Amino acid sequence: MFKPKEKFMKKMTLNKLLRGTFVVLLTAMLIGFVSSCSNDDDDDNTPGAGKAHKVVFKAEASAGSNISVAVYGIDGDATSASSLSGTTWTSPEVTSESGAYSANVAVSATGANASSTLKVQIWVDGELKKEGTSSGQVLSASANYAF
C-alpha cells in the first residue's frame, strides 16, 4: 500500500514532468514560429506583384457551333465583345498592370447539337495557363487565372 507521502510525491513528480513537457513544447513552437517568419519576404510572394503580363484570351467551339459573346479582363476591368460569330475568337493582347491579381474570361456559344463543345483559354506571356470547357447545345465556358 502507498503511504500518503509517497502518493503525494508521485503526483508532484507527474505534475513537474507534465509542466516541463509543456514548457519544452511551447518553447519549440515559439522558436519554430519566429525562425519561419524571419525568412518570409511577403513582397516577393504576393501574386502578381512587381510584374506586368501580356495576356490573350481565346475560344474555340466545335464545328457547326457559333460563338456569340465573350467577356474578358484583368481583375475587375472587364471588356465585352458581343455580336460575334464563328467557331473561333481571340482577344486583342491585354497588358496587365504590375500589381494585377487575376485574368478572367467567359464565352457563350450555341452548339450545333448536344455533343458540341466550347473551350476557352488564358495565355499569359505566350504560355497557356488556364483552360475551361463546356459541352451541350447551350455553351458557356469560363476560366480564371491568378498571376
Side-chain angles (χ1 to χ4, degrees):
M1 256 210 207
F2 290 109
K3 297 179 184 175
K5 188 175 181 179
E6 287 176 16
K7 194 173 188 179
F8 177 75
M9 292 300 284
K10 280 190 176 191
K11 190 174 187 179
M12 196 166 177
T13 305
L14 183 60
N15 281 341
K16 284 183 181 180
L17 179 63
L18 289 174
R19 192 174 304 151
T21 303
F22 177 74
V23 169
V24 169
L25 286 175
L26 188 60
T27 304
M29 288 173 54
L30 183 62
I31 290 171
F33 178 74
V34 170
S35 67
S36 70
C37 290
S38 68
N39 293 333
D40 284 354
D41 188 1
D42 290 337
D43 293 339
D44 293 337
N45 295 331
T46 303
K51 186 175 180 189
H53 298 281
K54 304 275 187 197
V55 183
V56 175
F57 304 93
K58 296 181 179 184
E60 183 179 339
S62 58
S65 299
N66 192 46
I67 296 173
S68 55
V69 177
V71 179
Y72 61 96
I74 308 294
D75 291 337
D77 188 21
T79 301
S80 180
S82 58
S83 301
L84 302 174
S85 63
T87 58
T88 62
W89 168 81
T90 302
S91 75
E93 185 176 79
V94 179
T95 301
S96 71
E97 293 183 19
S98 60
Y101 182 75
S102 67
N104 307 287
V105 63
V107 177
S108 294
T110 304
N113 54 46
S115 62
S116 297
T117 60
L118 173 65
K119 174 174 56 176
V120 296
Q121 299 176 328
I122 299 176
W123 292 77
V124 179
D125 300 327
E127 293 182 38
L128 176 62
K129 294 294 185 175
K130 200 70 170 189
E131 193 170 76
T133 59
S134 176
S135 62
Q137 197 151 10
V138 177
L139 302 164
S140 179
S142 64
N144 177 326
Y145 174 72
F147 297 113

